[in-house]
């Protein structure tokens, strides 16, 4: 079957309807990400479609070009997010990946990376350097809570006893960002711009969840993620070190899980991490299971075999310097740097 490949031609409603029924479809495939990427970062987006001779949509691939003076040019599906990659029939997936590879070659990008949650029939090399960690939600919230061990249940209860209160809603975007930006500075990592999270809330509406843990008048922990299909994923989370003694993040995660159960979700996704890391160990204590991610890619000769990361050894000097910056300075400079780190 001959497939016709086009870019930025599919109406958003048709695109999202296809994503909802496609194997491996995720919230990261939504059509709305195109306007978020263009509006916040000015990135060039190529939302590729594959159609059969009858005109029916057979596959889709959201693809974003990322440019950086420091790191060079990349073509990624999807930058800053956990998943992406082509969806659709086997023939469409291959045709879309081939088109992406041709675009990468023609544009002389350092690396093409297609971040899939599932295995795909591609000849590109697959990396499993990242995983996602999932908690299956069986029964009501009481049953889920009782399924945790006694130590974890005690850790969840403690913040509430200390006066921590959890609030959800898009009015939490501003306090979310206050906590998140400080947390990222403390980690030595450039922070996403506040406009990124504001655009997410505006574009995706009730499907975008924002929550904060408050201690009196101060937000002390935060999280943000998405409701998709039968799953809720917390994609970004942070907590202030000054309040680590009472672990407000434990109450925050439980509040997200409890809300997911009440909303009818069958799984709670703790988001991506590096296998064996401290973040991975934190997520495993909740009785979760690991899922390998399938990040397919190809690099130009001499270019790194992965997209850049602040944790790369070659950039180890960066976090050391960043932690010493005043928070206000880090928050202003961070978005200018992070836009080029997909």
């Amino acid at each position: 079957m001959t497939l016709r490949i086009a870019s930025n031609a599919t109406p958003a409603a048709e695109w999202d309807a296809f994503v909802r029924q496609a194997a491996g479809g995720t919230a990261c495939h939504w059509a709305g990400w195109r306007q978020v990427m263009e509006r916040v970062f000015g990135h060039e987006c190529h939302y590729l479609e594959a159609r059969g001779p009858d005109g029916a949509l057979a596959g889709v691939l959201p693809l974003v070009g990322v440019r950086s003076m420091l790191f060079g040019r990349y073509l990624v599906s999807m930058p800053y997010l956990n998943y992406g990659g082509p969806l659709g029939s086997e023939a469409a997936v291959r045709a879309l990946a081939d088109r992406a590879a041709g675009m990468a070659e023609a544009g002389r990008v350092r690396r093409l990376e297609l971040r899939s949650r599932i295995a795909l029939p591609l000849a590109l090399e697959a990396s499993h350097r990242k995983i996602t960690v999932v908690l299956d939600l069986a029964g009501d919230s009481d049953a889920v809570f009782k399924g945790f061990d006694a130590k974890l249940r005690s850790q969840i209860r403690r913040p509430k006893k200390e006066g921590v209160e959890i609030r959800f809603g898009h009015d939490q975007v501003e306090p979310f960002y206050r906590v998140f930006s400080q947390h990222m500075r403390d980690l030595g990592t450039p922070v996403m711009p506040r406009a990124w999270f504001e655009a997410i809330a505006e574009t995706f509406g009730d499907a975008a969840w924002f929550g904060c843990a408050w201690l009196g008048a101060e937000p002390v922990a935060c999280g943000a993620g998405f409701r998709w299909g039968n799953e809720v994923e917390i994609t970004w989370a942070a907590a202030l070190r000054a309040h680590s003694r009472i672990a407000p993040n434990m109450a925050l995660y439980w509040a997200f899980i409890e809300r997911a159960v009440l909303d009818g979700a069958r799984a709670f996704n703790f988001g991506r991490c590096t296998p064996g890391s401290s973040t991975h160990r934190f997520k495993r204590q909740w009785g979760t299971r690991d899922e390998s991610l399938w990040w397919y890619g190809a690099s130009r000769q001499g270019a790194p075999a992965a997209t850049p990361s602040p944790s790369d050894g070659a950039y180890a000097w960066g976090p050391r310097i960043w932690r010493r910056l005043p928070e206000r300075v880090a928050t202003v400079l961070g978005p200018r740097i992070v836009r080029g780190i997909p």
Side-chain angles (χ1 to χ4, degrees):
M1 178 177 69
T2 302
L3 293 170
R4 178 175 58 85
I5 309 297
S7 178
N8 301 334
T10 304
E14 184 184 7
W15 179 286
D16 286 346
F18 186 89
V19 169
R20 280 194 294 272
Q21 57 80 41
T26 70
C28 303
H29 288 88
W30 281 330
W33 285 109
R34 179 184 171 190
Q35 67 187 59
V36 174
M37 296 285 179
E38 291 176 342
R39 169 178 156 188
V40 177
F41 292 119
H43 291 325
E44 185 177 8
C45 296
H46 310 274
Y47 270 52
L48 303 181
E49 64 168 42
R51 292 186 183 270
D54 60 355
L57 196 57
V60 298
L61 170 60
L63 202 57
V64 179
V66 177
R67 299 187 181 197
S68 166
M69 292 289 291
L70 180 61
F71 301 110
R73 302 176 65 187
Y74 292 83
L75 201 55
V76 185
S77 174
M78 287 288 285
Y80 322 117
L81 301 173
N82 301 341
Y83 321 116
L87 304 175
S89 68
E90 185 170 319
V93 165
R94 287 176 172 160
L96 289 164
D98 287 346
R99 175 60 64 90
M103 292 169 60
E105 181 65 26
R108 302 182 62 83
V109 303
R110 290 173 63 82
R111 181 167 177 82
L112 166 70
E113 189 161 87
L114 308 177
R115 299 173 176 178
S116 177
R117 189 167 177 179
I118 62 172
L120 297 174
L122 299 179
L124 297 172
E125 182 180 356
S127 168
H128 302 294
R129 68 182 185 273
K130 297 295 182 180
I131 60 173
T132 196
V133 184
V134 179
L135 172 67
D136 294 310
L137 303 176
D140 58 21
S141 57
D142 286 341
V144 173
F145 187 78
K146 290 175 182 176
F148 300 146
D149 63 35
K151 179 181 178 182
L152 182 59
R153 293 197 301 269
S154 177
Q155 290 175 318
I156 293 170
R157 291 188 183 107
R158 179 173 182 179
K160 186 175 182 180
K161 294 177 180 177
E162 297 282 349
V164 170
E165 174 192 356
I166 310 300
R167 304 176 193 169
F168 284 101
H170 288 178
D171 61 344
Q172 299 301 298
V173 172
E174 189 278 330
F176 164 91
Y177 195 70
R178 267 189 275 160
V179 175
F180 188 71
S181 59
Q182 182 174 333
H183 173 81
M184 295 301 284
R185 192 286 309 268
D186 291 346
L187 289 178
T189 302
V191 68
M192 303 291 285
R194 178 172 159 180
W196 168 259
F197 299 104
E198 292 172 338
I200 287 171
E202 179 182 332
T203 303
F204 301 119
D206 292 342
W209 289 14
F210 286 84
C212 284
W214 290 79
L215 185 60
E218 180 185 9
V220 294
C222 66
F226 303 96
R227 177 74 163 90
W228 165 263
N230 291 320
E231 183 179 270
V232 169
E233 175 174 331
I234 188 166
T235 311
W236 300 277
L240 299 182
R241 290 180 177 176
H243 300 279
S244 59
R245 181 186 63 83
I246 62 173
N249 60 320
M250 301 302 288
L252 180 82
Y253 271 93
W254 169 244
F256 267 88
I257 293 169
E258 185 176 37
R259 187 181 183 207
V261 173
L262 293 173
D263 203 53
R266 305 304 298 166
F268 181 80
N269 190 328
F270 282 79
R272 87 180 189 214
C273 59
T274 302
S277 65
S278 59
T279 302
H280 184 206
R281 291 191 293 273
F282 170 84
K283 296 174 181 181
R284 288 292 290 167
Q285 71 179 322
W286 296 80
T288 53
R289 56 182 172 83
D290 296 344
E291 289 185 10
S292 291
L293 298 184
W294 297 76
W295 287 14
Y296 295 89
S299 300
R300 288 189 64 80
Q301 186 173 5
T307 48
S309 168
S311 61
D312 291 344
Y315 309 118
W317 51 268
R320 291 196 297 269
I321 295 174
W322 206 260
R323 292 188 192 102
R324 298 179 182 178
L325 292 178
E327 183 184 346
R328 184 182 298 273
V329 174
T331 302
V332 170
L333 295 179
R336 303 179 187 181
I337 297 174
V338 78
R339 71 180 304 275
I341 307 177

